[in-house]
Amino acid sequence: MTKIVPSVSVSYASNGSSTKSNALGMRPMQERAYERRGEQYLLIKSPPASGKSRALMFIALDKLLNQGLKQAIIVVPEKSIGSSFNDEPLSDYGFWADWHVEPKWNLCNAPGSDNGGKVKSLGAFLTSDDQVLVCTHATFRFAVDQFGVTAFDDRLVAVDEFHHVSANPDNKLGTHLGEFIARDKVHIVAMTGSYFRGDAEAVLAPQDESRFDTVTYTYYEQLNGYEYLKQLDIGYYFYSGSYADDILKVLDPAEKTIVHIPNVNSRESTKDKVREVEHIIEELGEWQGADPVTGFQLIKTPDGRLLKIADLVDDDPTKRDRVSAALKDPTQKNNRGHVDVIIALGMAKEGFDWIWCEHALTVGYRNSLTEIVQIIGRATRDAPGKTRARFTNLIAEPDAAEQAVTEAINDTLKAIAASLLMEQVLAPRFEFTPKNPTSGPQEGFDYGEEGYDPDKCNVGVNEETGKYHIEINGLAEPKSEEVNRICQEDLNEVIASFVQDKNAIERGLFDEELVPEELTQVRLGKIIKDRYPNLDEEDQESVRQHAIAALNLTQQAKQLLAGDETIDVGSNEPKPNTALIAGVRKFAMDVRELDIDLIDRINPFSEAYAILAKTMSEDSLKQVAAVISGKRTNLTPEEAKELAVRAFRFKRERGRLPSISSQDAWEQRMAEGAAAFVRFKDEGRYD
């Protein structure tokens, strides 16, 4: 029996603000981005369906017509996304110009390979008088290789789905962008719904990233401002045996659903993708044939309904192209009855727009966190009558007897990491300030019925901006503008690196002897040191404290809500929008003083373990714990060094070194680390 326990359920106010347009035809995110149109390097971080494509049109037109740039080159990851930049009569909605791309310069529609005729076409465009070209990341990479960065001087390069870029030297697009920034002769607009990568690599080198002005529009603002969608549930569910036998326990034929079946190389796959699709169709009802126009499979359900199923897995190009074209038919965009279920493998992810999708059901762990965020984005469109959406990750329960048990456990840990990260992505933005005698209320924040209390740590919310103001004793304040920006804009990216850290999540879930500070201070401290090597120690510590405060406060709020009997996670009734703020407030009130030491003493993975214990069988859980504890090793020289740094900080604050015989587990651990550091140093283990 599949266990159904949503790991997170978030509800929103549905005040309609994110769908309303201003006098120029811009929605709030687009207006916010347009205000920064004069920046040479602009990074737009905004969820799927918030209107990034159109925001770019407004900005590009201004750069071409008012800022003296010669041309705009729009770069997208795959051909299908090129259609997002088709002609738009923007003046019909109040803007001062229309968006137009000459058909021959939309290279996403051109025949041939990315490194053949399309590169030649891009070269011809650079010498033409036309202003806009659209091409794939691949075409652009080959073109820069062929023509060099100087050929693009005085032009706008706009990169869609920017998370495909990486600071890794092997990533050609990342290398090219570094070269453009070093030359400093182009304007760059980068757009992404998830500014973190699945492989935990940095997207840009820190020195390049600091050149960008960032526009952030959060999931919270987007969903809170929708007209219809009020609730989003995210869960991972385990099954044993074949997924095809269990899938109907989570697939509700009454919901508009995109099913992503597993990659043929994954352990969840039966290795026969066509048979898997047939099995799902058979389980749903009786086949009535295929629609001759759309190619959709027609299925009669036991209750007499006719389901239209789009099969994007079939390798027959004639069939698949017909189905794909039917799904993209612009005349059917607002027709809820056009299709009921879409079954896909590698398609229907980034840039795929089906506003009616209520359930994104994914079998097996996908390649990356980024991919999961993109898939969830398929279900978060606003549409009339759609009040609730959900994402389900159906995962094979690890079995210690099987050969691929390590792979199975890795998939499980990745699914948990994705869930933890999505909780942060979906939550409002936290604005942390240290509590001190001069602290006071911030304008625009509601501090609850009692109002602001100068004698304690306060929690306030600004519904309009989707920000929480939280006061914390002992919090290290950012010293520089750059650190302030990181704490305001990049905490989710820092948390993404932390929850993807295999050592951290394994120990956080299964090490019974864990001292939480080993994760919250040492492990997270090292991740921040590696990510921001140019920051001094105090600023690195400030980023660490802000990141762990954001992660642990969300987890504690979730734990309190899970234990609140008045909130039914399985209910179809949307929960009050104030649920998370109530949880944060309750946690802040339940503890005597909200201070950073207290936050550091919380294991960030303990609530994830509680959910895992509900969803996985007891035997499997014990087996997984045994496999992971079998891998445990002694302190590495690197870990000893990190602990020694913490021990030195302890001495600076307390006037004495940590004691190995202390009753405090963390003090004991620091003392062990300092001793090991001295030993390793004597052995010449450090350069």
Side-chain angles (χ1 to χ4, degrees):
M1 179 66 189
T2 308
K3 294 99 178 165
I4 297 186
V5 183
S7 59
V8 62
S9 184
V10 193
S11 50
Y12 300 90
S14 305
N15 60 30
S17 63
S18 62
T19 55
K20 290 191 173 71
S21 298
N22 68 5
L24 290 173
M26 298 176 191
R27 282 152 47 191
M29 183 283 283
Q30 295 159 349
E31 186 175 6
R32 191 177 298 174
Y34 190 66
E35 283 168 5
R36 309 280 183 86
R37 62 192 180 276
E39 298 292 336
Q40 183 177 355
Y41 302 114
L42 189 61
L43 172 61
I44 301 171
K45 293 196 273 191
S46 179
S50 57
K52 290 189 287 292
S53 308
R54 190 166 286 208
L56 176 64
M57 295 175 189
F58 294 128
I59 292 166
L61 285 167
D62 192 83
K63 285 188 179 295
L64 291 168
L65 301 173
N66 297 328
Q67 296 179 40
L69 291 190
K70 293 177 183 172
Q71 293 175 315
I73 297 162
I74 321 296
V75 188
V76 298
E78 56 184 67
K79 289 189 290 187
S80 61
I81 299 177
S83 60
S84 303
F85 298 95
N86 287 346
D87 288 6
E88 282 290 346
L90 300 177
S91 60
D92 289 0
Y93 309 98
F95 196 60
W96 44 263
D98 289 327
W99 177 256
H100 174 65
V101 183
E102 285 292 329
K104 68 174 176 177
W105 300 133
N106 190 335
L107 303 185
C108 292
N109 298 334
S113 66
D114 283 312
N115 61 347
K118 293 184 186 182
V119 171
K120 204 172 165 187
S121 295
L122 202 154
F125 169 77
L126 292 172
T127 60
S128 76
D129 293 329
D130 288 321
Q131 290 194 305
V132 184
L133 176 136
V134 182
C135 69
T136 63
H137 287 184
T139 298
F140 184 71
R141 289 197 310 267
F142 290 123
V144 178
D145 281 341
Q146 188 164 330
F147 306 122
V149 290
T150 56
F152 296 84
D153 284 359
D154 304 319
R155 288 168 174 83
L156 167 65
V157 175
V159 185
D160 197 17
E161 308 295 2
F162 195 61
H163 50 268
H164 285 260
V165 174
S166 167
N168 187 314
D170 294 336
N171 184 289
K172 287 297 291 277
L173 190 53
T175 304
H176 288 330
L177 285 171
E179 291 167 354
F180 279 125
I181 293 167
R183 182 167 170 78
D184 208 25
K185 296 275 191 182
V186 297
H187 285 216
I188 298 173
V189 175
M191 303 180 293
T192 178
S194 53
Y195 188 62
F196 37 79
R197 292 174 54 83
D199 51 17
E201 292 270 9
V203 174
L204 282 174
Q207 68 272 18
D208 291 339
E209 189 169 327
S210 64
R211 302 284 300 277
F212 280 79
D213 195 71
T214 306
V215 173
T216 302
Y217 192 69
T218 64
Y219 263 89
Y220 182 88
E221 289 177 282
Q222 170 79 348
L223 275 78
N224 214 39
Y226 272 169
E227 200 173 339
Y228 308 102
L229 186 62
K230 288 179 166 61
Q231 185 171 334
L232 180 62
D233 297 337
I234 292 171
Y236 44 86
Y237 309 120
F238 292 95
Y239 68 91
S240 51
S242 166
Y243 84 83
D245 296 330
D246 266 0
I247 196 164
L248 278 204
K249 290 175 183 169
V250 286
L251 196 168
D252 180 352
E255 289 179 321
K256 301 290 185 182
T257 304
I258 295 179
V259 181
H260 280 103
I261 68 168
N263 185 293
V264 288
N265 298 317
S266 72
R267 54 190 289 275
E268 285 88 357
S269 174
T270 64
K271 313 304 175 202
D272 186 345
K273 62 183 184 180
V274 174
R275 181 71 197 107
E276 287 173 32
V277 174
E278 286 171 355
H279 185 79
I280 293 168
I281 289 173
E282 285 163 8
E283 290 284 304
L284 287 168
E286 193 182 324
W287 188 64
Q288 305 291 299
D291 184 299
V293 178
T294 61
F296 297 163
Q297 306 295 320
L298 305 175
I299 308 296
K300 192 173 186 180
T301 64
D303 62 2
R305 288 172 56 238
L306 189 69
L307 289 181
K308 299 170 188 171
I309 299 178
D311 174 8
L312 289 171
V313 178
D314 194 321
D315 283 328
D316 181 333
T318 317
K319 288 183 188 172
R320 196 164 70 179
D321 288 353
R322 180 187 298 168
V323 170
S324 188
L327 289 174
K328 288 178 190 163
D329 182 352
T331 64
Q332 299 295 335
K333 186 175 180 179
N334 296 318
N335 176 9
R336 189 179 189 279
H338 183 52
V339 67
D340 298 294
V341 177
I342 297 171
I343 304 175
L345 202 158
M347 298 172 77
K349 287 184 281 196
E350 282 180 341
F352 182 80
D353 190 5
W354 180 34
I355 61 169
W356 305 105
C357 176
E358 297 162 292
H359 187 190
L361 171 56
T362 298
V363 184
Y365 183 72
R366 306 316 279 188
N367 290 334
S368 69
L369 278 176
T370 310
E371 194 171 340
I372 284 184
V373 174
Q374 291 292 340
I375 290 171
I376 292 170
R378 301 316 103 208
T380 58
R381 265 56 176 176
D382 202 28
K386 175 178 157 183
T387 57
R388 187 177 186 179
R390 62 186 177 126
F391 166 75
T392 306
N393 202 175
L394 197 57
I395 304 162
E397 197 162 87
D399 178 1
E402 68 178 311
Q403 247 181 333
V405 65
T406 309
E407 184 191 330
I409 291 169
N410 286 345
D411 284 355
T412 300
L413 296 177
K414 286 173 183 174
I416 294 166
S419 178
L420 286 166
L421 180 60
M422 282 311 297
E423 284 160 23
Q424 294 304 132
V425 168
L426 293 167
R429 286 168 75 184
F430 294 117
E431 199 166 284
F432 298 115
T433 57
K435 180 68 179 174
N436 54 46
T438 60
S439 299
Q442 291 197 5
E443 197 179 331
F445 286 86
D446 173 12
Y447 292 91
E449 288 177 22
E450 307 289 318
Y452 184 89
D453 184 342
D455 298 323
K456 66 170 193 183
C457 292
N458 291 270
V459 179
V461 64
N462 183 324
E463 286 282 359
E464 200 177 318
T465 61
K467 278 187 185 174
Y468 289 8
H469 172 223
I470 299 170
E471 294 180 325
I472 300 173
N473 275 319
L475 184 77
E477 276 194 282
K479 289 187 310 175
S480 65
E481 269 305 305
E482 172 61 4
V483 176
N484 207 36
R485 183 196 69 77
I486 292 166
C487 291
Q488 289 284 324
E489 307 285 353
D490 290 356
L491 288 189
N492 284 346
E493 287 76 69
V494 173
I495 291 167
S497 300
F498 181 52
V499 299
Q500 286 182 96
D501 184 88
K502 205 150 159 281
N503 182 288
I505 198 167
E506 283 182 352
R507 294 197 62 204
L509 288 169
F510 296 108
D511 184 351
E512 290 174 9
E513 294 169 16
L514 173 79
V515 180
E517 288 94 334
E518 289 183 64
L519 298 184
T520 59
Q521 291 192 16
V522 177
R523 199 75 198 172
L524 180 55
K526 183 186 180 305
I527 285 167
I528 285 159
K529 202 169 281 187
D530 292 346
R531 188 181 176 92
Y532 303 110
N534 300 331
L535 299 183
D536 67 25
E537 193 182 300
E538 284 178 61
D539 273 342
Q540 286 172 346
E541 177 63 6
S542 179
V543 173
R544 186 200 69 76
Q545 289 184 11
H546 280 72
I548 199 60
L551 177 57
N552 267 342
L553 282 174
T554 303
Q555 291 304 303
Q556 291 303 301
K558 188 180 76 165
Q559 186 179 7
L560 287 165
L561 294 175
D564 187 342
E565 295 303 318
T566 62
I567 294 173
D568 177 9
V569 174
S571 161
N572 280 317
E573 286 302 307
K575 293 186 293 298
N577 186 46
T578 54
L580 187 64
I581 186 70
V584 173
R585 273 210 181 108
K586 190 172 186 321
F587 176 65
M589 285 185 337
D590 284 355
V591 298
R592 198 162 45 81
E593 279 298 332
L594 189 59
D595 64 44
I596 195 64
D597 290 341
L598 168 84
I599 290 166
D600 275 341
R601 284 197 294 272
I602 297 168
N603 176 355
F605 301 103
S606 59
E607 182 55 17
Y609 180 82
I611 290 162
L612 199 59
K614 289 177 191 169
T615 55
M616 198 186 278
S617 72
E618 199 177 337
D619 281 352
S620 282
L621 201 58
K622 280 180 184 165
Q623 290 174 343
V624 170
V627 169
I628 287 174
S629 39
K631 297 186 335 191
R632 208 166 293 150
T633 55
N634 293 326
L635 270 180
T636 64
E638 197 174 32
E639 287 165 340
K641 190 176 181 181
E642 290 290 332
L643 283 164
V645 168
R646 294 281 160 187
F648 177 73
R649 191 172 287 165
F650 179 94
K651 185 187 178 189
R652 209 168 51 202
E653 290 167 2
R654 312 273 179 97
R656 65 177 179 84
L657 282 167
S659 165
I660 199 85
S661 56
S662 170
Q663 292 298 301
D664 181 81
W666 174 230
E667 185 178 337
Q668 220 178 57
R669 192 66 172 150
M670 282 190 285
E672 286 171 18
F677 173 71
V678 172
R679 193 171 67 249
F680 286 139
K681 202 171 179 191
D682 290 345
E683 291 169 4
R685 301 280 289 274
Y686 301 105
D687 294 333

PDB file of all heavy atoms in Angstrom, residues 479-498:
ATOM      1  N   LYS A 479      28.282  43.044   6.848  1.00  0.00           N
ATOM      2  CA  LYS A 479      29.072  44.286   6.893  1.00  0.00           C
ATOM      3  C   LYS A 479      29.079  44.983   5.543  1.00  0.00           C
ATOM      4  O   LYS A 479      29.041  46.195   5.457  1.00  0.00           O
ATOM      5  CB  LYS A 479      30.526  43.970   7.297  1.00  0.00           C
ATOM      6  CG  LYS A 479      30.693  43.557   8.750  1.00  0.00           C
ATOM      7  CD  LYS A 479      32.177  43.425   9.096  1.00  0.00           C
ATOM      8  CE  LYS A 479      32.895  42.580   8.070  1.00  0.00           C
ATOM      9  NZ  LYS A 479      34.335  42.488   8.238  1.00  0.00           N
ATOM     10  N   SER A 480      29.160  44.186   4.465  1.00  0.00           N
ATOM     11  CA  SER A 480      29.326  44.787   3.133  1.00  0.00           C
ATOM     12  C   SER A 480      28.023  44.719   2.341  1.00  0.00           C
ATOM     13  O   SER A 480      27.115  43.950   2.663  1.00  0.00           O
ATOM     14  CB  SER A 480      30.418  44.036   2.370  1.00  0.00           C
ATOM     15  OG  SER A 480      29.999  42.695   2.130  1.00  0.00           O
ATOM     16  N   GLU A 481      27.966  45.514   1.288  1.00  0.00           N
ATOM     17  CA  GLU A 481      26.796  45.518   0.390  1.00  0.00           C
ATOM     18  C   GLU A 481      26.605  44.146  -0.260  1.00  0.00           C
ATOM     19  O   GLU A 481      25.501  43.661  -0.426  1.00  0.00           O
ATOM     20  CB  GLU A 481      26.986  46.574  -0.716  1.00  0.00           C
ATOM     21  CG  GLU A 481      26.430  47.942  -0.359  1.00  0.00           C
ATOM     22  CD  GLU A 481      24.960  47.913   0.034  1.00  0.00           C
ATOM     23  OE1 GLU A 481      24.130  47.414  -0.755  1.00  0.00           O
ATOM     24  OE2 GLU A 481      24.641  48.359   1.153  1.00  0.00           O
ATOM     25  N   GLU A 482      27.745  43.518  -0.643  1.00  0.00           N
ATOM     26  CA  GLU A 482      27.685  42.218  -1.304  1.00  0.00           C
ATOM     27  C   GLU A 482      27.055  41.169  -0.384  1.00  0.00           C
ATOM     28  O   GLU A 482      26.222  40.372  -0.810  1.00  0.00           O
ATOM     29  CB  GLU A 482      29.099  41.784  -1.741  1.00  0.00           C
ATOM     30  CG  GLU A 482      29.225  40.369  -2.279  1.00  0.00           C
ATOM     31  CD  GLU A 482      28.392  40.083  -3.529  1.00  0.00           C
ATOM     32  OE1 GLU A 482      27.735  41.003  -4.074  1.00  0.00           O
ATOM     33  OE2 GLU A 482      28.385  38.919  -3.952  1.00  0.00           O
ATOM     34  N   VAL A 483      27.432  41.176   0.902  1.00  0.00           N
ATOM     35  CA  VAL A 483      26.878  40.198   1.849  1.00  0.00           C
ATOM     36  C   VAL A 483      25.404  40.493   2.108  1.00  0.00           C
ATOM     37  O   VAL A 483      24.587  39.590   2.235  1.00  0.00           O
ATOM     38  CB  VAL A 483      27.689  40.183   3.166  1.00  0.00           C
ATOM     39  CG1 VAL A 483      27.065  39.251   4.187  1.00  0.00           C
ATOM     40  CG2 VAL A 483      29.107  39.736   2.866  1.00  0.00           C
ATOM     41  N   ASN A 484      25.074  41.763   2.141  1.00  0.00           N
ATOM     42  CA  ASN A 484      23.670  42.142   2.283  1.00  0.00           C
ATOM     43  C   ASN A 484      22.860  41.585   1.113  1.00  0.00           C
ATOM     44  O   ASN A 484      21.762  41.043   1.296  1.00  0.00           O
ATOM     45  CB  ASN A 484      23.569  43.667   2.337  1.00  0.00           C
ATOM     46  CG  ASN A 484      22.350  44.117   3.103  1.00  0.00           C
ATOM     47  OD1 ASN A 484      21.958  43.497   4.088  1.00  0.00           O
ATOM     48  ND2 ASN A 484      21.726  45.174   2.643  1.00  0.00           N
ATOM     49  N   ARG A 485      23.424  41.697  -0.106  1.00  0.00           N
ATOM     50  CA  ARG A 485      22.750  41.162  -1.301  1.00  0.00           C
ATOM     51  C   ARG A 485      22.589  39.645  -1.197  1.00  0.00           C
ATOM     52  O   ARG A 485      21.518  39.107  -1.490  1.00  0.00           O
ATOM     53  CB  ARG A 485      23.565  41.513  -2.558  1.00  0.00           C
ATOM     54  CG  ARG A 485      22.920  41.068  -3.871  1.00  0.00           C
ATOM     55  CD  ARG A 485      23.893  41.075  -5.034  1.00  0.00           C
ATOM     56  NE  ARG A 485      24.913  40.051  -4.925  1.00  0.00           N
ATOM     57  CZ  ARG A 485      24.699  38.760  -5.188  1.00  0.00           C
ATOM     58  NH1 ARG A 485      23.513  38.331  -5.564  1.00  0.00           N
ATOM     59  NH2 ARG A 485      25.680  37.884  -5.069  1.00  0.00           N
ATOM     60  N   ILE A 486      23.651  38.958  -0.763  1.00  0.00           N
ATOM     61  CA  ILE A 486      23.583  37.494  -0.637  1.00  0.00           C
ATOM     62  C   ILE A 486      22.481  37.102   0.350  1.00  0.00           C
ATOM     63  O   ILE A 486      21.676  36.212   0.078  1.00  0.00           O
ATOM     64  CB  ILE A 486      24.954  36.926  -0.189  1.00  0.00           C
ATOM     65  CG1 ILE A 486      25.997  37.102  -1.305  1.00  0.00           C
ATOM     66  CG2 ILE A 486      24.836  35.441   0.184  1.00  0.00           C
ATOM     67  CD1 ILE A 486      27.434  36.886  -0.856  1.00  0.00           C
ATOM     68  N   CYS A 487      22.442  37.798   1.508  1.00  0.00           N
ATOM     69  CA  CYS A 487      21.437  37.469   2.533  1.00  0.00           C
ATOM     70  C   CYS A 487      20.020  37.804   2.064  1.00  0.00           C
ATOM     71  O   CYS A 487      19.054  37.176   2.481  1.00  0.00           O
ATOM     72  CB  CYS A 487      21.757  38.195   3.844  1.00  0.00           C
ATOM     73  SG  CYS A 487      23.247  37.560   4.642  1.00  0.00           S
ATOM     74  N   GLN A 488      19.897  38.791   1.192  1.00  0.00           N
ATOM     75  CA  GLN A 488      18.581  39.166   0.654  1.00  0.00           C
ATOM     76  C   GLN A 488      18.159  38.271  -0.512  1.00  0.00           C
ATOM     77  O   GLN A 488      16.999  37.892  -0.620  1.00  0.00           O
ATOM     78  CB  GLN A 488      18.614  40.627   0.162  1.00  0.00           C
ATOM     79  CG  GLN A 488      18.680  41.653   1.261  1.00  0.00           C
ATOM     80  CD  GLN A 488      17.350  41.853   1.955  1.00  0.00           C
ATOM     81  OE1 GLN A 488      16.294  41.809   1.346  1.00  0.00           O
ATOM     82  NE2 GLN A 488      17.392  42.051   3.259  1.00  0.00           N
ATOM     83  N   GLU A 489      19.130  37.947  -1.394  1.00  0.00           N
ATOM     84  CA  GLU A 489      18.783  37.340  -2.679  1.00  0.00           C
ATOM     85  C   GLU A 489      19.155  35.859  -2.824  1.00  0.00           C
ATOM     86  O   GLU A 489      18.522  35.140  -3.572  1.00  0.00           O
ATOM     87  CB  GLU A 489      19.476  38.098  -3.833  1.00  0.00           C
ATOM     88  CG  GLU A 489      19.249  39.594  -3.848  1.00  0.00           C
ATOM     89  CD  GLU A 489      17.859  39.978  -4.322  1.00  0.00           C
ATOM     90  OE1 GLU A 489      17.120  39.085  -4.766  1.00  0.00           O
ATOM     91  OE2 GLU A 489      17.519  41.166  -4.225  1.00  0.00           O
ATOM     92  N   ASP A 490      20.222  35.424  -2.139  1.00  0.00           N
ATOM     93  CA  ASP A 490      20.819  34.134  -2.501  1.00  0.00           C
ATOM     94  C   ASP A 490      20.712  33.032  -1.450  1.00  0.00           C
ATOM     95  O   ASP A 490      21.377  32.003  -1.578  1.00  0.00           O
ATOM     96  CB  ASP A 490      22.316  34.323  -2.836  1.00  0.00           C
ATOM     97  CG  ASP A 490      22.520  35.084  -4.132  1.00  0.00           C
ATOM     98  OD1 ASP A 490      21.517  35.382  -4.793  1.00  0.00           O
ATOM     99  OD2 ASP A 490      23.680  35.380  -4.466  1.00  0.00           O
ATOM    100  N   LEU A 491      19.925  33.238  -0.408  1.00  0.00           N
ATOM    101  CA  LEU A 491      19.884  32.222   0.652  1.00  0.00           C
ATOM    102  C   LEU A 491      19.403  30.867   0.125  1.00  0.00           C
ATOM    103  O   LEU A 491      19.900  29.820   0.543  1.00  0.00           O
ATOM    104  CB  LEU A 491      19.000  32.674   1.815  1.00  0.00           C
ATOM    105  CG  LEU A 491      19.568  33.786   2.705  1.00  0.00           C
ATOM    106  CD1 LEU A 491      18.699  33.967   3.933  1.00  0.00           C
ATOM    107  CD2 LEU A 491      21.007  33.511   3.123  1.00  0.00           C
ATOM    108  N   ASN A 492      18.441  30.882  -0.790  1.00  0.00           N
ATOM    109  CA  ASN A 492      17.954  29.602  -1.336  1.00  0.00           C
ATOM    110  C   ASN A 492      19.056  28.853  -2.078  1.00  0.00           C
ATOM    111  O   ASN A 492      19.106  27.624  -2.057  1.00  0.00           O
ATOM    112  CB  ASN A 492      16.765  29.816  -2.274  1.00  0.00           C
ATOM    113  CG  ASN A 492      15.484  30.104  -1.502  1.00  0.00           C
ATOM    114  OD1 ASN A 492      15.430  29.897  -0.298  1.00  0.00           O
ATOM    115  ND2 ASN A 492      14.470  30.590  -2.194  1.00  0.00           N
ATOM    116  N   GLU A 493      19.951  29.598  -2.739  1.00  0.00           N
ATOM    117  CA  GLU A 493      21.037  28.930  -3.459  1.00  0.00           C
ATOM    118  C   GLU A 493      22.040  28.316  -2.473  1.00  0.00           C
ATOM    119  O   GLU A 493      22.558  27.227  -2.690  1.00  0.00           O
ATOM    120  CB  GLU A 493      21.763  29.928  -4.375  1.00  0.00           C
ATOM    121  CG  GLU A 493      20.966  30.320  -5.597  1.00  0.00           C
ATOM    122  CD  GLU A 493      19.855  31.312  -5.309  1.00  0.00           C
ATOM    123  OE1 GLU A 493      20.150  32.478  -4.996  1.00  0.00           O
ATOM    124  OE2 GLU A 493      18.678  30.931  -5.383  1.00  0.00           O
ATOM    125  N   VAL A 494      22.288  29.027  -1.364  1.00  0.00           N
ATOM    126  CA  VAL A 494      23.179  28.493  -0.323  1.00  0.00           C
ATOM    127  C   VAL A 494      22.554  27.232   0.279  1.00  0.00           C
ATOM    128  O   VAL A 494      23.214  26.207   0.456  1.00  0.00           O
ATOM    129  CB  VAL A 494      23.427  29.556   0.784  1.00  0.00           C
ATOM    130  CG1 VAL A 494      24.198  28.947   1.948  1.00  0.00           C
ATOM    131  CG2 VAL A 494      24.180  30.759   0.214  1.00  0.00           C
ATOM    132  N   ILE A 495      21.242  27.314   0.580  1.00  0.00           N
ATOM    133  CA  ILE A 495      20.537  26.166   1.168  1.00  0.00           C
ATOM    134  C   ILE A 495      20.505  25.002   0.185  1.00  0.00           C
ATOM    135  O   ILE A 495      20.642  23.838   0.574  1.00  0.00           O
ATOM    136  CB  ILE A 495      19.107  26.583   1.612  1.00  0.00           C
ATOM    137  CG1 ILE A 495      19.207  27.530   2.819  1.00  0.00           C
ATOM    138  CG2 ILE A 495      18.243  25.371   1.949  1.00  0.00           C
ATOM    139  CD1 ILE A 495      17.922  28.252   3.172  1.00  0.00           C
ATOM    140  N   ALA A 496      20.376  25.306  -1.114  1.00  0.00           N
ATOM    141  CA  ALA A 496      20.393  24.239  -2.133  1.00  0.00           C
ATOM    142  C   ALA A 496      21.709  23.471  -2.068  1.00  0.00           C
ATOM    143  O   ALA A 496      21.724  22.233  -2.119  1.00  0.00           O
ATOM    144  CB  ALA A 496      20.197  24.830  -3.529  1.00  0.00           C
ATOM    145  N   SER A 497      22.829  24.182  -1.940  1.00  0.00           N
ATOM    146  CA  SER A 497      24.133  23.515  -1.842  1.00  0.00           C
ATOM    147  C   SER A 497      24.209  22.656  -0.589  1.00  0.00           C
ATOM    148  O   SER A 497      24.760  21.553  -0.604  1.00  0.00           O
ATOM    149  CB  SER A 497      25.266  24.552  -1.803  1.00  0.00           C
ATOM    150  OG  SER A 497      25.253  25.329  -2.958  1.00  0.00           O
ATOM    151  N   PHE A 498      23.642  23.146   0.500  1.00  0.00           N
ATOM    152  CA  PHE A 498      23.707  22.436   1.788  1.00  0.00           C
ATOM    153  C   PHE A 498      22.858  21.167   1.768  1.00  0.00           C
ATOM    154  O   PHE A 498      23.320  20.094   2.138  1.00  0.00           O
ATOM    155  CB  PHE A 498      23.241  23.385   2.894  1.00  0.00           C
ATOM    156  CG  PHE A 498      23.277  22.782   4.282  1.00  0.00           C
ATOM    157  CD1 PHE A 498      24.427  22.177   4.768  1.00  0.00           C
ATOM    158  CD2 PHE A 498      22.162  22.845   5.112  1.00  0.00           C
ATOM    159  CE1 PHE A 498      24.464  21.635   6.054  1.00  0.00           C
ATOM    160  CE2 PHE A 498      22.190  22.316   6.382  1.00  0.00           C
ATOM    161  CZ  PHE A 498      23.346  21.706   6.864  1.00  0.00           C
TER     162      PHE A 498
END
